[in-house]
Amino acid sequence: MSNLVILPIIIPFIIGAILLMFAKHHKVQRIISGISMIILLALAIYLAIYAYQHGTLVLELGNWSAPFGIVLVADLLSTFMVLLATLVGAVCLFFAFKTINSDREKYYFYPLYFFLLIGVNGAFLTGDLFNLFVFFEVMLIASYGLIVHGGTGYQLRESFKYVIINVFASGLFIVAIAWIYSITGTMNMAHIGERVAELDQAGALNVVAVLLFIVFASKGALFPLYFWLPKSYFGPPAAIAALFGGLLTKVGIYAIIRTFTVIFNHDPGFTHKGIIVTIAGFTMLFGVLGAVSQFDFKRILSYHIISQVGYMVMGLGIFTPLAMAGAIYYIAHHMIVKTALFLFAGVTEKITGTTDLKKMGGLLGSHPALAWMFFITAVSLAGIPPLSGFFSKFPIILAGFEEGQYVISGVALLVGLLTLFSMMKIFSYAFWGKQKHTEEQANIPIGKLLLPVVPLVVLTIILGFAAEPIFTYSLDVAEQIMDPSNYIESVLKE
C-alpha cells in the first residue's frame, strides 16, 4: 500500500509530459487533463480515508531506509492537504476549460498546470527537508509560467515582484538547510526532530527556526512579506488566480505547521507564542485593512488571502490541540471558499467586462444564481453561522481566550467584522442597485461557468452543517501532528 503515496506526484508528472506532445491539440489536452484530474481526486480521497483508518503510510524511495534515504510520508495532515489541493485543482481546471482561450492553451497551459501539482503534492508528502526545497522549486517554476500566461504588460510587470521575492526566499532556504544540517547532520525531518530533542543548542536552533519561518512566510504571504501578492494575483485569468489564491499560499502555511510541530517545538514560548502569534496578528490586521480600502473585486479578494492566512498561523502560535484543530478546519474552509470567490470574480468580469466595483451593479437582477452563490461564500468567509467560516474561526478564537491571548483574539474578532464589511461592499456595489451593464451583457449565459463552482458552494454549507464530524477529524489531525513522536516513530520505525 505504501507505493500509493508516490502516485499523487508521479501521475501529474506523466500526464504533464504526455500533454507536451499534444500542445496544438486542445481538445485532446482537455480530455486527457479532465480524466487525469478525476483519477487524481479519487486517489486523494482514498489516501485520506486510508491514512485515517489505518495510520501513517511511509514510502522509502529506492528501498533506502530513513534517515539515509528519501521518504514520502502520508499522515493525516499530508493526505488532507493533498485532497484539498486536488479538489481545488480539479475545480479550477474544469473552469479553465470554459474560460482559457486557445491562444493561451497552445502555450503549454495544461502541462504547466500539472507540473504545478507535482510540486504542491510533493511538498505535502515529502519527509525530507531538502526535497521540500526541491518540490517548492518545481511548484514555483511552474507558477512563474502560469502567472505570466498570456503575456500582458501588467502580468509581466507585477509578476516580477513575485519572482524576485521567491528567488530570494529560495536562497535563504538553502542557507537554513545548510545550517540545520551542520547542527543535526541529517535532512530527514523526523530525524531532525529526534536530534533537536537531544541537543542543547536552543540558541542556534532558534536562529534556524526564524530563518525558515521567514522563507515560508514569504511564500505564505505573511506580514511583512505579503506586498507581492495583491497585484500579482490580479493579472492572471480567473482560473489561474483562483488556483493560486486557493492553493499556493497554503503550501507555505503547511511547511510552517510541519516544521514547527515536528522540528522546532523545543522553545514554543519564543517561537510559537512569541514570534508566530505576533506575526499572525499583524498579518490579519494589515491584510483586512488593505481589503477594506480597495474598490476592485479581485484586489479585495487578494488582500483577504493575506488576512485569512493569519488565522491559520494564529492557531499554530497558540499551540494547543483546540487551536490547531481550528487552524486545520480553517485551511479547508479557506481553500474551498477563496477558490469559489475568485471564480465568481471571473464570471462577473466576463459579464461586465470589469472588476471595478464602481462600474458594476444590478447583477442580482440579471444573474440571481451568481449573486446568491457569491453571497453564501462571502458570508462564509466572514464567519457568519452556520457556514464553515464560523465553525473554523470559533475554536481558534476560543483557544486564544483560554490561553490568555486576549490581544490577538480581539484582533481576530475585529478582522472578522471588517471582512464582513468588505464582502458586503462587493455585494452592494456589484450585485445590488441599478443595473450598469447592457442588456446584451445581461443575457450572457453563465450556467456552464457556474457548474464547476457549485461543489465548492455545497462544501462550505456541508462544512458548516456537519461541523461536529469535521471538527472531530480536524482534532484527530491536530493531536497527531502536535505529538511529534507519532511522525518520528512512523518514519524511523522505532
Side-chain angles (χ1 to χ4, degrees):
M1 289 302 298
S2 61
N3 288 327
L4 290 176
V5 180
I6 200 171
L7 290 183
I9 303 171
I10 288 294
I11 291 176
F13 176 78
I14 294 173
I15 298 304
I18 291 172
L19 290 172
L20 287 172
M21 305 175 191
F22 296 96
K24 296 182 180 180
H25 303 278
H26 303 156
K27 188 174 181 180
V28 175
Q29 286 194 92
R30 292 180 184 183
I31 293 171
I32 294 173
S33 300
I35 294 172
S36 302
M37 191 58 74
I38 292 171
I39 293 171
L40 267 175
L41 183 57
L43 173 65
I45 293 170
Y46 180 78
L47 272 176
I49 294 172
Y50 188 91
Y52 188 71
Q53 293 179 340
H54 301 283
T56 302
L57 281 170
V58 178
L59 175 62
E60 297 172 338
L61 298 179
N63 208 27
W64 284 82
S65 61
F68 306 106
I70 297 169
V71 295
L72 299 178
V73 186
D75 64 351
L76 291 181
L77 178 61
S78 58
T79 54
F80 180 62
M81 296 301 295
V82 168
L83 172 57
L84 291 171
T86 309
L87 173 65
V88 169
V91 169
C92 293
L93 180 68
F94 284 99
F95 187 88
F97 289 161
K98 304 297 180 183
T99 56
I100 295 293
N101 59 47
S102 59
D103 288 338
R104 290 184 174 182
E105 283 182 310
K106 70 182 180 182
Y107 290 110
Y108 307 103
F109 171 76
Y110 296 110
L112 285 171
Y113 200 97
F114 279 89
F115 292 151
L116 180 80
L117 292 178
I118 297 172
V120 170
N121 290 340
F124 291 149
L125 292 169
T126 185
D128 182 275
L129 196 58
F130 183 78
N131 278 279
L132 178 62
F133 165 78
V134 171
F135 283 120
F136 259 110
E137 293 308 298
V138 172
M139 176 189 74
L140 290 170
I141 290 170
S143 72
Y144 298 155
L146 288 173
I147 204 167
V148 299
H149 212 259
T152 67
Y154 182 91
Q155 281 179 268
L156 294 171
R157 183 177 69 252
E158 295 302 329
S159 62
F160 183 73
K161 302 172 189 174
Y162 175 79
V163 174
I164 290 298
I165 193 168
N166 278 294
V167 168
F168 172 78
S170 296
L172 196 60
F173 199 170
I174 287 291
V175 172
I177 288 173
W179 199 337
I180 201 166
Y181 183 77
S182 71
I183 296 172
T184 63
T186 181
M187 286 285 93
N188 183 281
M189 285 193 278
H191 201 208
I192 295 172
E194 186 180 60
R195 291 278 177 89
V196 165
E198 301 168 351
L199 293 172
D200 186 23
Q201 296 191 43
L205 289 169
N206 283 342
V207 173
V208 179
V210 171
L211 282 178
L212 278 177
F213 183 78
I214 292 171
V215 170
F216 299 140
S218 67
K219 300 177 188 298
L222 298 179
F223 174 86
L225 302 170
Y226 61 79
F227 63 89
W228 56 268
L229 187 148
K231 291 185 177 180
S232 296
Y233 284 16
F234 178 80
I240 298 174
L243 181 70
F244 283 20
L247 180 55
L248 289 197
T249 52
K250 313 314 174 298
V251 182
I253 300 304
Y254 166 84
I256 293 173
I257 292 174
R258 179 64 79 190
T259 53
F260 280 83
T261 52
V262 174
I263 300 174
F264 303 113
N265 51 34
H266 59 286
D267 190 5
F270 172 74
T271 53
H272 295 68
K273 300 181 187 297
I275 293 175
I276 294 177
V277 163
T278 303
I279 294 298
F282 281 113
T283 302
M284 287 189 287
L285 187 59
F286 279 84
V288 80
L289 290 177
V292 168
S293 67
Q294 297 296 313
F295 276 88
D296 184 276
F297 200 148
K298 289 174 71 174
R299 283 181 178 162
I300 290 175
L301 297 181
S302 297
Y303 274 102
H304 274 312
I305 296 173
I306 300 163
S307 68
Q308 304 301 307
V309 295
Y311 283 98
M312 306 167 200
V313 179
M314 175 183 169
L316 173 64
I318 295 170
F319 207 53
T320 65
L322 178 62
M324 281 300 304
I328 300 301
Y329 201 149
Y330 199 88
I331 289 172
H333 149 75
H334 187 263
M335 291 178 72
I336 291 167
V337 170
K338 184 57 68 176
T339 302
L341 288 170
F342 266 102
L343 295 179
F344 289 142
V347 176
T348 58
E349 186 176 12
K350 182 175 179 62
I351 297 168
T352 63
T354 182
T355 55
D356 186 342
L357 294 179
K358 295 179 181 179
K359 298 178 181 178
M360 302 166 73
L363 283 168
L364 178 60
S366 62
H367 298 85
L370 169 63
W372 292 118
M373 287 172 69
F374 168 82
F375 182 81
I376 291 170
T377 50
V379 296
S380 180
L381 185 74
I384 303 299
L387 299 171
S388 60
F390 173 79
F391 291 105
S392 55
K393 286 180 182 177
F394 180 73
I396 300 173
I397 296 172
L398 178 61
F401 281 116
E402 288 180 349
E403 292 298 303
Q405 297 281 359
Y406 301 116
V407 174
I408 193 170
S409 299
V411 169
L413 291 171
L414 174 63
V415 168
L417 182 63
L418 293 176
T419 300
L420 178 62
F421 170 78
S422 58
M423 297 311 291
M424 288 305 97
K425 179 168 69 174
I426 294 177
F427 189 79
S428 62
Y429 273 87
F431 296 95
W432 203 258
K434 183 180 178 180
Q435 180 176 314
K436 295 184 179 179
H437 49 283
T438 66
E439 284 303 316
E440 183 180 356
Q441 291 173 315
N443 292 322
I444 292 176
I446 59 169
K448 291 182 179 180
L449 296 181
L450 293 180
L451 191 60
V453 199
V454 169
L456 299 181
V457 180
V458 173
L459 276 173
T460 190
I461 297 172
I462 292 174
L463 287 176
F465 281 91
E468 184 176 356
I470 300 298
F471 183 74
T472 299
Y473 175 79
S474 300
L475 192 59
D476 289 338
V477 176
E479 289 175 346
Q480 185 185 76
I481 63 177
M482 286 198 67
D483 182 2
S485 63
N486 290 321
Y487 187 89
I488 292 170
E489 290 170 6
S490 297
V491 174
L492 300 181
K493 295 181 172 59
E494 295 183 346

